[in-house]
């Protein structure tokens, strides 16, 4: 059973900012009433002034709307899959990670998350909600990572 499901517009988002006890932050996207897509960030164990994407977790319910060929015995089955420790996109705390091309991240359980035109900024040191032109960011190019100043 295969389905390509896009995150719809108008989703509900929430998150936990600056959990000092664990040096983690998360972004939770709620959609389709029972689905959540969560991104967990942590301070990098290699550099305390950087952060990284640690885990992506998807919680979803099998249904005939998103999986048209689902068997009736599987309809309503609740699933939770996550990547475990990714350690991806190590980025300076004062900057952000940005990628305009597709990044496909496989999650055990036969699920893949494709990120496109993505920008993350976590562990910020001020209350701004945007991305400043003066902040550093990493851009994923076909040849690898390059730093943009």
């Amino acid at each position: 059973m295969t389905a390509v499901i896009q995150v719809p517009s108008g989703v509900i988002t929430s998150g936990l900012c600056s959990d000092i006890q664990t040096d983690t932050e998360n972004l939770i996207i709620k959609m389709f009433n029972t689905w959540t897509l969560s991104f967990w960030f942590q301070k990098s164990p290699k550099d305390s002034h950087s952060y990284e994407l640690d885990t992506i977790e998807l919680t979803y319910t099998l249904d005939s709307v998103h999986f048209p060929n689902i068997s009736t015995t599987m309809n309503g089955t609740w699933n939770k899959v996550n990547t475990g420790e990714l350690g991806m996109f190590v980025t300076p705390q004062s900057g952000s990670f940005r990628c305009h091309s597709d990044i496909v991240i496989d999650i055990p359980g036969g699920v893949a998350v494709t990120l496109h035109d993505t920008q993350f900024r976590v562990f910020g040191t001020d209350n701004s909600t945007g991305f400043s032109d003066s902040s550093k960011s990493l851009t994923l190019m076909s040849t690898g990572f390059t730093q943009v100043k």
Side-chain angles (χ1 to χ4, degrees):
M1 161 181 51
T2 301
V4 175
I5 300 163
Q6 296 184 350
V7 174
S9 61
V11 297
I12 298 170
T13 61
S14 63
L16 173 64
C17 296
S18 296
D19 182 345
I20 297 171
Q21 299 297 323
T22 61
D23 283 333
T24 61
E25 292 191 5
N26 70 354
L27 168 65
I28 300 170
I29 300 170
K30 295 180 182 180
M31 56 195 164
F32 310 126
N33 295 324
T34 60
W35 293 42
T36 59
L37 177 61
S38 303
F39 297 90
W40 294 88
F41 301 90
Q42 72 173 14
K43 291 242 179 157
S44 174
K46 299 172 190 157
D47 177 3
S48 64
H49 299 289
S50 295
Y51 66 88
E52 61 189 41
L53 177 61
D54 181 62
T55 304
I56 298 175
E57 181 178 271
L58 176 65
T59 303
Y60 63 100
T61 305
L62 296 174
D63 59 45
S64 58
V65 172
H66 299 101
F67 303 93
N69 297 324
I70 190 172
S71 73
T72 54
T73 58
M74 294 184 70
N75 195 29
T77 304
W78 179 82
N79 296 284
K80 184 181 205 177
V81 293
N82 71 59
T83 57
E85 298 175 4
L86 286 173
M88 296 178 76
F89 317 136
V90 178
T91 307
Q93 182 174 336
S94 60
S96 63
F97 169 81
R98 180 180 62 212
C99 180
H100 294 293
S101 49
D102 288 352
I103 301 170
V104 179
I105 301 171
D106 290 321
I107 300 176
V111 175
V113 173
T114 302
L115 305 176
H116 177 77
D117 200 13
T118 304
Q119 188 163 8
F120 294 116
R121 175 182 175 259
V122 296
F123 294 105
T125 56
D126 58 36
N127 290 331
S128 67
T129 57
F131 301 101
S132 118
D133 290 337
S134 63
S135 69
K136 295 179 181 177
S137 66
L138 295 177
T139 303
L140 182 64
M141 313 282 278
S142 59
T143 56
F145 288 102
T146 58
Q147 184 146 346
V148 178
K149 295 184 180 182

